[in-house]
Amino acid sequence: MIRNWEDKVVVIAEDEQINFLFLKAVLKPTKAKVIWTKTGRETIDVCLSDKIDMVLMDIKMPDINGLDATIEIKKKYPDLPIIAQTAYAMEEDEIASQEAGCDDYISKPIRPDNLLTIMSKFFDD
Ligand SMILES: [Mg+2]
Protein backbone atom coordinates (compact mmCIF):
# COMPACT_ATOMS: atom_id res chain seq x y z
CA MET A 1 0.00 0.00 0.00
CA ILE A 2 1.31 3.47 -0.89
CA ARG A 3 0.62 6.04 1.77
CA ASN A 4 0.91 9.72 1.03
CA TRP A 5 1.00 11.76 4.20
CA GLU A 6 2.85 14.77 2.79
CA ASP A 7 0.30 17.09 4.40
CA LYS A 8 0.90 15.57 7.87
CA VAL A 9 3.27 16.70 10.59
CA VAL A 10 4.39 13.95 12.94
CA VAL A 11 6.31 14.58 16.16
CA ILE A 12 8.72 11.79 17.04
CA ALA A 13 9.25 12.19 20.78
CA GLU A 14 12.27 10.01 21.47
CA ASP A 15 15.39 10.65 23.54
CA GLU A 16 17.53 8.00 21.83
CA GLN A 17 18.89 9.08 18.47
CA ILE A 18 19.07 5.57 17.02
CA ASN A 19 15.37 5.06 17.72
CA PHE A 20 14.53 8.41 16.17
CA LEU A 21 16.54 7.63 13.03
CA PHE A 22 14.77 4.29 12.69
CA LEU A 23 11.31 5.86 12.94
CA LYS A 24 12.29 8.64 10.55
CA ALA A 25 13.39 6.02 8.02
CA VAL A 26 10.12 4.11 8.43
CA LEU A 27 8.14 7.29 7.75
CA LYS A 28 10.27 8.52 4.84
CA PRO A 29 8.24 6.79 2.08
CA THR A 30 5.05 8.38 3.43
CA LYS A 31 6.49 11.92 2.91
CA ALA A 32 5.17 12.96 6.33
CA LYS A 33 7.00 15.93 7.83
CA VAL A 34 8.90 14.83 10.92
CA ILE A 35 9.82 16.87 13.99
CA TRP A 36 12.21 15.36 16.53
CA THR A 37 11.77 16.17 20.21
CA LYS A 38 14.05 14.64 22.83
CA THR A 39 12.38 15.45 26.13
CA GLY A 40 8.85 15.62 27.47
CA ARG A 41 9.12 19.37 27.99
CA GLU A 42 10.24 19.92 24.41
CA THR A 43 7.42 17.71 23.14
CA ILE A 44 4.79 19.67 25.06
CA ASP A 45 6.20 22.98 23.82
CA VAL A 46 6.18 21.89 20.17
CA CYS A 47 2.67 20.45 20.38
CA LEU A 48 1.26 23.57 22.01
CA SER A 49 2.90 25.97 19.56
CA ASP A 50 2.88 24.25 16.16
CA LYS A 51 0.21 22.55 14.07
CA ILE A 52 0.82 18.86 14.71
CA ASP A 53 -1.13 15.89 13.30
CA MET A 54 0.28 13.06 15.43
CA VAL A 55 2.78 12.30 18.18
CA LEU A 56 4.77 9.06 18.45
CA MET A 57 5.45 9.31 22.18
CA ASP A 58 8.30 7.50 23.88
CA ILE A 59 7.35 6.78 27.50
CA LYS A 60 10.81 7.07 29.06
CA MET A 61 12.31 10.48 28.38
CA PRO A 62 14.32 12.99 30.41
CA ASP A 63 12.58 15.62 32.54
CA ILE A 64 8.87 15.03 31.83
CA ASN A 65 8.07 11.45 30.80
CA GLY A 66 5.84 10.58 27.87
CA LEU A 67 2.80 9.86 29.99
CA ASP A 68 2.85 13.20 31.79
CA ALA A 69 3.58 14.97 28.50
CA THR A 70 0.51 13.26 27.00
CA ILE A 71 -1.68 14.47 29.86
CA GLU A 72 -0.48 18.05 29.34
CA ILE A 73 -0.95 17.99 25.57
CA LYS A 74 -4.40 16.40 25.78
CA LYS A 75 -5.61 19.18 28.07
CA LYS A 76 -5.33 21.57 25.15
CA TYR A 77 -5.66 19.21 22.18
CA PRO A 78 -7.81 16.23 23.19
CA ASP A 79 -8.21 15.17 19.56
CA LEU A 80 -4.51 15.14 18.65
CA PRO A 81 -3.63 11.46 18.13
CA ILE A 82 -0.86 10.32 20.45
CA ILE A 83 0.63 6.86 19.96
CA ALA A 84 2.67 5.60 22.91
CA GLN A 85 5.85 3.66 22.25
CA THR A 86 5.94 1.18 25.08
CA ALA A 87 8.74 -1.07 26.23
CA TYR A 88 8.63 -4.64 25.01
CA ALA A 89 6.15 -6.80 26.93
CA MET A 90 5.50 -4.12 29.53
CA GLU A 91 1.80 -4.48 30.14
CA GLU A 92 1.96 -1.75 32.80
CA ASP A 93 3.16 0.67 30.12
CA GLU A 94 0.18 -0.16 27.93
CA ILE A 95 -2.32 0.35 30.73
CA ALA A 96 -0.60 3.53 31.91
CA SER A 97 -0.53 4.93 28.39
CA GLN A 98 -4.27 4.38 28.03
CA GLU A 99 -4.90 6.03 31.39
CA ALA A 100 -2.79 9.03 30.34
CA GLY A 101 -5.02 9.46 27.30
CA CYS A 102 -2.90 7.94 24.54
CA ASP A 103 -5.03 6.91 21.56
CA ASP A 104 -3.05 3.76 20.84
CA TYR A 105 0.28 2.15 21.63
CA ILE A 106 2.97 0.20 19.87
CA SER A 107 5.54 -1.88 21.70
CA LYS A 108 9.26 -1.74 21.01
CA PRO A 109 10.98 -3.10 19.02
CA ILE A 110 8.71 -1.41 16.51
CA ARG A 111 7.87 -3.28 13.31
CA PRO A 112 7.49 -0.87 10.38
CA ASP A 113 4.33 -2.48 8.99
CA ASN A 114 2.75 -2.45 12.40
CA LEU A 115 3.50 1.22 12.97
CA LEU A 116 2.20 2.30 9.56
CA THR A 117 -0.98 0.29 10.05
CA ILE A 118 -1.67 1.96 13.38
CA MET A 119 -0.97 5.41 11.91
CA SER A 120 -3.30 4.67 9.00
CA LYS A 121 -6.19 4.27 11.41
CA PHE A 122 -5.88 7.99 12.15
CA PHE A 123 -4.70 9.34 8.80
CA ASP A 124 -6.49 7.29 6.17
CA ASP A 125 -9.91 6.49 7.63
MG1 LIG B 1 13.43 6.78 25.91
Side-chain angles (χ1 to χ4, degrees):
M1 179 194 271
I2 295 169
R3 299 181 170 96
N4 185 340
W5 296 335
E6 62 191 351
D7 60 332
K8 305 295 187 189
V9 180
V10 177
V11 170
I12 298 177
E14 174 58 73
D15 58 318
E16 292 181 47
Q17 185 180 34
I18 190 165
N19 294 340
F20 162 73
L21 291 173
F22 170 76
L23 292 171
K24 185 183 168 199
V26 170
L27 294 186
K28 190 160 198 286
T30 73
K31 300 188 174 76
K33 182 174 181 245
V34 163
I35 297 174
W36 183 19
T37 59
K38 305 176 193 71
T39 71
R41 180 76 259 165
E42 196 183 349
T43 306
I44 294 167
D45 290 346
V46 165
C47 288
L48 297 192
S49 61
D50 294 356
K51 191 205 166 285
I52 303 300
D53 296 294
M54 180 178 286
V55 182
L56 303 180
M57 184 75 84
D58 182 28
I59 303 271
K60 292 182 180 61
M61 288 189 292
D63 65 45
I64 300 171
N65 70 42
L67 299 175
D68 289 337
T70 296
I71 291 168
E72 282 306 305
I73 294 163
K74 287 284 187 177
K75 282 181 191 167
K76 186 158 183 206
Y77 296 112
D79 297 329
L80 171 61
I82 300 181
I83 314 297
Q85 311 174 47
T86 62
Y88 173 68
M90 286 286 284
E91 200 180 342
E92 310 94 89
D93 273 8
E94 296 168 9
I95 294 165
S97 67
Q98 286 172 334
E99 287 175 351
C102 292
D103 297 271
D104 213 330
Y105 64 87
I106 185 164
S107 58
K108 295 179 176 182
I110 289 170
R111 287 178 31 232
D113 281 358
N114 200 6
L115 175 63
L116 294 172
T117 299
I118 289 173
M119 292 177 70
S120 287
K121 290 198 293 184
F122 299 92
F123 284 169
D124 297 332
D125 282 359

